[in-house]
């Protein structure tokens, strides 16, 4: 019997994942990663993934299934691999995606390594995505979930062939969240009707700038809003509080709407422009992880997302001599932002992904 380590958040998705893995014949153990102390993020919040209630819910689910359950301390690794990267990205003028870093460096790196130490054959999570092996080539493929509204393939685009071969996503074939909750009801799980968390886990109130100030002890000072000619338009409240394409929350009274198009970290200036100027048809992507096939020698036609919630757009990907990927869209895209991931698709297949640097 194959052995599975199931990542348990205390939510309904990971709970149903555990039940399905056992139903599919795996010997399972449930594990919750302790990622930080609640004091790190300020006042404890109920929707924090490390809240005591979530740990209690995960433990109760494992007890109901007859699975062993453990809480593993990953606080130091989470601080260095996720929170510090998050802070550094904003301080460099980028806009990070900490959920991608958490999957890349924590769940499918640190936790995956721990699974191997515990002699587990696979790691299973409640992500909405699918992993399949190409029977002709032997290559492991990442595909979108059947439920495209819940699809999470975007945040999984950095998984390697080895990681994919030892990963299971049993929720990927469900067509709706209601079906998942129905399974939880059948098992009598305490969290069957628990609401999904929508926030960054370590910034549960959504105020990431206030979190950064608490975490670093720094004050990110005000500076100037300027137009593209350098004319001062007013004062901003700290450069980390703004992202490319932002219009609301600028606190300015302007004759016409203006949008953030650039952040000058060396001069502490936020540059504003008209909306047309924040559209671009090209971006450069580094650290590209090719999943569907090896790095191509010719341009490839794809659809691409440059943000988690963005719609896919037709594009051509060109591998550059330095290994970066130049992505050229058929139509200009709004507010392509450095620090975000560009993920490429071919239908339901994830071609690969990397980090936007230009």
């Amino acid at each position: 019997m194959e052995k599975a380590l199931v990542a348990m958040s205390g939510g309904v998705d990971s709970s149903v994942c555990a039940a399905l893995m056992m139903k599919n014949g795996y010997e399972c153990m449930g594990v919750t990663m302790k990622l930080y102390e609640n004091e790190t993020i300020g006042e404890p919040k109920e929707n924090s993934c490390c809240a005591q209630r979530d740990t209690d819910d995960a433990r109760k689910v494992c007890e109901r299934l007859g699975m062993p359950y453990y809480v593993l301390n990953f606080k130091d690794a989470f601080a260095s691999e996720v929170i510090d990267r998050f802070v550094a990205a904003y301080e460099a003028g980028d806009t990070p995606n900490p959920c991608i870093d958490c999957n890349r460096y924590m769940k499918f790196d640190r936790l995956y390594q721990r699974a191997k130490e515990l002699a587990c054959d696979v790691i299973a999570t409640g992500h909405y995505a699918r992993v399949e092996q190409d029977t002709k080539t032997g290559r492991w493929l990442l595909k979108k979930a059947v439920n495209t509204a819940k699809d999470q393939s975007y945040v999984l685009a950095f998984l390697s062939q080895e990681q994919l071969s030892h990963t299971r996503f049993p929720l990927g074939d469900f067509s709706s969240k209601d079906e998942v909750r129905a399974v939880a009801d059948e098992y009598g799980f305490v969290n069957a009707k628990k609401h999904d968390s929508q926030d960054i886990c370590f910034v549960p109130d959504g105020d990431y700038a206030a979190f950064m100030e608490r975490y670093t002890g720094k004050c990110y000072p005000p500076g100037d809003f300027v137009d593209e000619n350098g004319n001062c338009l007013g004062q901003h409240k700290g450069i980390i509080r703004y992202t490319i394409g932002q219009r609301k929350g600028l606190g300015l009274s302007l004759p016409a709407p203006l949008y953030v198009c650039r952040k000058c970290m060396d001069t502490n200036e936020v540059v504003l422009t008209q909306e047309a100027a924040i559209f671009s048809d090209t971006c450069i992507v580094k650290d590209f992880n090719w999943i569907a096939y090896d790095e191509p020698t010719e341009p490839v036609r794809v659809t691409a997302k440059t943000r988690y919630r963005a719609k896919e757009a037709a594009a051509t990907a060109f591998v550059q001599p330095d290994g970066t990927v130049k992505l050229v869209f058929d139509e200009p895209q709004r507010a392509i932002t450095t620090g975000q991931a560009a993920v490429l698709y071919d239908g339901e297949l994830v071609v690969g992904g990397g980090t936007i640097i230009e």
Side-chain angles (χ1 to χ4, degrees):
M1 179 183 292
E2 284 195 304
K3 192 173 181 181
L5 184 150
V6 183
M8 305 286 288
S9 68
V12 65
D13 291 333
S14 59
S15 300
V16 171
C17 169
L20 294 175
M21 291 299 290
M22 291 193 71
K23 183 178 180 180
N24 291 336
Y26 287 89
E27 178 187 347
C28 297
M29 68 169 65
V31 168
T32 295
M33 295 186 293
K34 178 70 172 176
L35 301 179
Y36 49 77
E37 296 295 343
N38 285 343
E39 290 77 6
T40 302
I41 64 172
E43 192 70 23
K45 300 288 184 180
E46 281 300 312
N47 62 347
S48 163
C49 77
C50 283
Q52 187 61 46
R53 176 190 170 190
D54 295 325
T55 303
D56 292 343
D57 287 350
R59 180 177 288 108
K60 289 174 183 175
V61 167
C62 288
E63 288 174 353
R64 191 162 188 85
L65 292 171
M67 285 171 48
Y69 173 73
Y70 306 96
V71 177
L72 302 181
N73 186 342
F74 283 104
K75 290 183 291 186
D76 290 344
F78 188 75
S80 62
E81 301 287 13
V82 180
I83 299 180
D84 289 350
R85 291 177 189 274
F86 177 86
V87 170
Y90 270 115
E91 290 183 340
D94 297 334
T95 301
N97 189 318
C99 295
I100 288 179
D101 286 342
C102 187
N103 284 313
R104 184 178 184 180
Y105 300 111
M106 300 302 300
K107 291 186 181 75
F108 299 100
D109 187 350
R110 298 300 180 102
L111 189 60
Y112 172 64
Q113 294 300 323
R114 186 64 60 88
K116 290 199 293 186
E117 294 169 6
L118 295 169
C120 292
D121 301 286
V122 299
I123 182 171
T125 74
H127 285 97
Y128 286 82
R130 291 176 290 162
V131 175
E132 297 177 7
Q133 188 175 28
D134 187 321
T135 55
K136 294 181 180 179
T137 65
R139 195 174 189 93
W140 288 89
L141 307 175
L142 177 63
K143 293 185 175 182
K144 296 176 187 174
V146 171
N147 181 359
T148 55
K150 296 289 290 183
D151 175 59
Q152 294 173 295
S153 59
Y154 177 87
V155 299
L156 300 167
F158 287 91
L159 269 64
S160 68
Q161 284 292 297
E162 179 189 351
Q163 291 165 336
L164 288 168
S165 71
H166 294 282
T167 297
R168 302 293 181 266
F169 299 130
L171 302 192
D173 291 317
F174 281 74
S175 59
S176 74
K177 184 61 177 270
D178 288 342
E179 292 180 13
V180 175
R181 293 194 185 279
V183 174
D185 271 329
E186 289 175 12
Y187 280 89
F189 290 158
V190 66
N191 54 9
K193 293 180 173 57
K194 190 173 184 178
H195 292 298
D196 295 339
S197 175
Q198 301 295 326
D199 300 310
I200 298 171
C201 67
F202 56 90
V203 192
D205 63 359
D207 191 346
Y208 69 86
F211 164 79
M212 286 177 59
E213 289 174 343
R214 289 196 306 270
Y215 183 76
T216 64
K218 298 178 182 178
C219 175
Y220 298 94
D224 290 336
F225 284 118
V226 298
D227 63 19
E228 291 191 276
N229 295 318
N231 299 310
C232 182
L233 301 173
Q235 284 251 302
H236 66 68
K237 297 179 180 179
I239 199 166
I240 64 167
R241 299 178 183 274
Y242 307 92
T243 189
I244 306 303
Q246 180 176 340
R247 177 178 69 87
K248 295 182 178 180
L250 301 181
L252 298 176
S253 178
L254 301 168
L258 293 181
Y259 300 77
V260 176
C261 70
R262 190 166 65 254
K263 297 193 292 184
C264 302
M265 306 306 289
D266 54 341
T267 59
N268 194 28
E269 293 176 326
V270 177
V271 184
L272 305 182
T273 188
Q274 295 181 342
E275 187 172 22
I278 64 172
F279 282 79
S280 174
D281 63 1
T282 304
C283 66
I284 305 297
V285 185
K286 72 171 184 176
D287 297 336
F288 203 89
N289 179 48
W290 296 96
I291 297 177
Y293 36 75
D294 290 332
E295 182 178 280
T297 57
E298 300 292 332
V300 291
R301 289 291 293 168
V302 295
T303 57
K305 292 174 65 170
T306 55
R307 290 177 185 263
Y308 181 56
R309 296 298 182 190
K311 292 182 178 179
E312 291 173 44
T316 304
F318 302 83
V319 178
Q320 305 297 288
D322 62 359
T324 61
V325 173
K326 182 179 181 181
L327 198 57
V328 180
F329 290 90
D330 292 6
E331 301 290 339
Q333 301 298 298
R334 187 184 189 280
I336 297 175
T337 305
T338 59
Q340 291 286 291
V343 177
L344 313 187
Y345 294 88
D346 180 0
E348 64 179 4
L349 194 65
V350 179
V351 172
T355 303
I356 298 169
I357 57 170
E358 183 182 331

